[in-house]
Amino acid sequence: MRRIILGLMLLPLMAQAQTLEECQQAAEQNYPLIRQYGLIEKTTDLTVANIQKGWLPQVTASAQATYQSDVMSWPDQMQTMMKGMGIDLVGLKKDQYRVGIDVQQTVLDGGVIKSQKEIARQQGEVQNAQNEVNMYQVRKRVNEMYFGLLMIDEQLRLNQDLQQLLSANEQKLASMLKHGTAATSDYQNVKAERLNVLQQMTSLQAQRSALVRMLSSFCGIEVSTPVKPHGDPSAVNGQSILCPELKAFDAQLRLADAQQKALGAALRPKLSVFAQGYYGYPGYNMFEDMMNHKWSLNGMVGARLSWNIGALYTHKNDKAKIQLQRESAETNREVFLFNNNLEVIQQNENIERFRKLMADDEEIISLRSSIRKAAESKLSHGIIDVNDLVREINQENVAKVQRSMHEIEMLKQIYDYKFTTNH
């Protein structure tokens, strides 16, 4: 229900949701697996309702017809004596019939129904927790596409800057060529380089278009302009692990506890009351039916105390199996935390590495920009050729691309860290 309400709140934002968090929320609402929550809840409710019906009277209707090889009869001496008195003792007929109904009402079940309902609820919790784990992976997929789109946008922006720079030098060389101070090959060299950069832009635009379609389809909204998120590298240390996988392990342990209680309930005696009635032949009054072959109504009521001691045969093994399930869940938790801790360490190292790289990026760009400007001046005075200028322009562009990539990669690592720790 919480997710449905959240989805309704997001509807007005669908057209302009561009931030990473908005895309993640939209993707969760759009992902088909979200319908599984409602299905699990309904299935659990139906299962619990069926188990609760164990307290209702259990009614069984039956009909049977039999033919016996032998039946109860009067002793020969008695038949002889009764015949002498003019009474014919015919005895029971070998073909017998009955149409009846049995009603049984459980009074005390030793806690079986209660434990079964708890097991059903905990099984639903396990399914919900596993579904939550699967849904959580949606965020990771959104992160990959979103930061990929940011990287392409940065490359396109730098590509445009590079085109403008090459275009300015191309115009300068065209003027120099007109005045006879530059060779035609110099002009053609810069123009060819600009066209090459233009081709790179075309390729980047195609990649961006495909990625936008994928991300928009995945989120169920139109994502056209991603917003670069903010991330503080100093805020990623010492965070506790709150991943949904841990909730799944806890749910498995609670299910094992419920199953453990059910084993105890199976060992307790059970009390019920019952009523039986049938119409047929013979009835409960055998002597009457031995003399008159008539169908009759018959009934019985009573109470029954039962104790299935057969549950003791497998109790020890069943208890051991549940303990193994519990130990398996604990082991899986330890493995997950171990691997998760390794990921956190790696992500912290990556964040620190990109932070250090970014500290030098600005100085490198400043130096490359100065060198490029000097090369432009030298070309104007004929000190260097155009190949040297193109090389310096490309070196400056590479430095700018590296700075942008380092920044986005660091942001991605920060958000990967948030995904790993669920913060």
Side-chain angles (χ1 to χ4, degrees):
M1 181 61 68
R2 176 180 62 84
R3 293 177 176 273
I4 295 174
I5 294 175
L6 179 61
L8 294 176
M9 293 173 62
L10 282 174
L11 286 177
L13 302 175
M14 288 304 180
Q16 65 268 21
Q18 303 291 322
T19 67
L20 177 58
E21 288 77 11
E22 288 170 341
C23 286
Q24 288 175 342
Q25 293 174 2
E28 288 181 357
Q29 297 301 315
N30 184 58
Y31 200 59
L33 194 60
I34 194 172
R35 294 194 292 271
Q36 192 71 13
Y37 286 106
L39 297 177
I40 292 172
E41 182 179 359
K42 291 179 181 178
T43 301
T44 301
D45 290 343
L46 290 173
T47 302
V48 172
N50 286 341
I51 295 173
Q52 181 65 27
K53 287 180 171 58
W55 288 113
L56 296 178
Q58 305 300 305
V59 181
T60 303
S62 62
Q64 73 175 36
T66 62
Y67 184 85
Q68 300 178 199
S69 61
D70 200 1
V71 293
M72 182 183 297
S73 60
W74 296 98
D76 293 340
Q77 296 84 349
M78 185 173 291
Q79 288 185 17
T80 302
M81 182 181 65
M82 297 300 291
K83 282 182 178 180
M85 299 172 59
I87 301 174
D88 187 14
L89 300 178
V90 295
L92 292 177
K93 298 176 65 176
K94 292 185 177 181
D95 55 321
Q96 301 182 1
Y97 310 89
R98 67 167 58 190
V99 178
I101 187 170
D102 295 344
V103 180
Q104 179 172 306
Q105 172 65 58
T106 300
V107 178
L108 296 174
D109 71 338
V112 171
I113 292 178
K114 180 181 178 181
S115 62
Q116 287 177 345
K117 290 195 296 182
E118 182 62 22
I119 288 176
R121 292 191 184 99
Q122 292 304 325
Q123 287 174 337
E125 289 297 322
V126 169
Q127 293 175 348
N128 264 326
Q130 185 57 53
N131 198 58
E132 187 72 27
V133 171
N134 297 332
M135 286 293 299
Y136 190 65
Q137 297 300 317
V138 171
R139 295 189 186 182
K140 187 173 184 179
R141 297 177 66 179
V142 172
N143 286 356
E144 294 291 336
M145 289 185 283
Y146 196 89
F147 282 103
L149 188 56
L150 284 175
M151 286 186 177
I152 291 178
D153 283 349
E154 283 294 314
Q155 293 179 53
L156 283 170
R157 181 181 64 81
L158 294 173
N159 182 281
Q160 291 176 351
D161 292 343
L162 181 57
Q163 285 187 58
Q164 292 176 1
L165 184 58
L166 288 170
S167 180
N169 281 278
E170 183 182 344
Q171 293 174 8
K172 184 185 297 184
L173 283 169
S175 178
M176 292 173 65
L177 178 62
K178 185 177 181 180
H179 292 87
T181 58
T184 303
S185 60
D186 293 337
Y187 169 77
Q188 292 174 339
N189 192 343
V190 174
K191 183 176 182 180
E193 188 66 25
R194 180 179 61 81
L195 293 175
N196 183 51
V197 173
L198 184 61
Q199 285 185 333
Q200 293 175 10
M201 182 188 71
T202 302
S203 177
L204 288 171
Q205 287 175 338
Q207 294 178 39
R208 187 185 192 281
S209 178
L211 195 53
V212 164
R213 289 198 301 270
M214 289 175 58
L215 183 57
S216 298
S217 177
F218 195 79
C219 297
I221 60 175
E222 184 64 31
V223 181
S224 58
T225 307
V227 179
K228 186 185 298 183
H230 299 286
D232 183 6
S234 62
V236 298
N237 293 317
Q239 298 283 1
S240 57
I241 307 299
L242 301 175
C243 294
E245 286 85 351
L246 298 180
K247 295 181 180 179
F249 297 137
D250 291 339
Q252 292 173 14
L253 292 174
R254 289 194 297 270
L255 174 59
D257 292 339
Q259 292 172 332
Q260 182 80 38
K261 293 180 181 179
L263 289 181
L267 295 176
R268 301 188 187 105
K270 298 169 180 58
L271 177 65
S272 63
V273 294
F274 64 91
Q276 298 176 347
Y278 74 91
Y279 178 68
Y281 172 85
Y284 291 145
N285 190 339
M286 290 290 184
F287 291 105
E288 178 68 23
D289 292 331
M290 292 171 71
M291 298 181 66
N292 300 299
H293 297 163
K294 296 180 180 180
W295 286 38
S296 61
L297 288 172
N298 304 271
M300 177 190 301
V301 295
R304 180 182 294 114
L305 181 66
S306 62
W307 185 18
N308 181 17
I309 62 175
L312 290 170
Y313 302 155
T314 60
H315 181 75
K316 183 177 180 180
N317 289 340
D318 290 339
K319 187 176 180 180
K321 285 171 60 179
I322 294 174
Q323 181 60 30
L324 290 175
Q325 294 175 11
R326 186 179 287 109
E327 292 176 1
S328 177
E330 291 287 359
T331 301
N332 290 336
R333 179 203 292 271
E334 293 177 8
V335 171
F336 171 78
L337 289 174
F338 181 84
N339 292 331
N340 191 277
N341 185 57
L342 291 181
E343 288 187 27
V344 167
I345 293 173
Q346 182 64 53
Q347 288 160 357
N348 278 325
E349 291 296 327
N350 289 337
I351 292 170
E352 181 63 19
R353 174 167 60 89
F354 287 121
R355 188 186 65 79
K356 291 179 179 178
L357 290 173
M358 289 177 60
D360 297 328
D361 281 336
E362 291 299 331
E363 184 177 0
I364 293 173
I365 291 173
S366 179
L367 292 172
R368 286 296 179 188
S369 180
S370 297
I371 294 172
R372 186 261 305 166
K373 291 177 182 179
E376 289 176 340
S377 177
K378 290 178 181 179
L379 180 66
S380 299
H381 294 84
I383 300 176
I384 62 173
D385 60 23
V386 73
N387 290 325
D388 295 327
L389 174 61
V390 170
R391 183 179 66 251
E392 297 305 336
I393 291 175
N394 287 331
Q395 289 289 345
E396 180 187 14
N397 182 68
V398 168
K400 291 180 178 179
V401 170
Q402 286 181 341
R403 178 191 60 183
S404 297
M405 295 303 101
H406 291 161
E407 180 185 8
I408 295 175
E409 283 288 355
M410 186 182 73
L411 288 173
K412 183 177 182 300
Q413 289 296 320
I414 291 173
Y415 276 83
D416 283 346
Y417 176 90
K418 290 182 177 181
F419 173 83
T420 303
T421 58
N422 193 20
H423 283 279

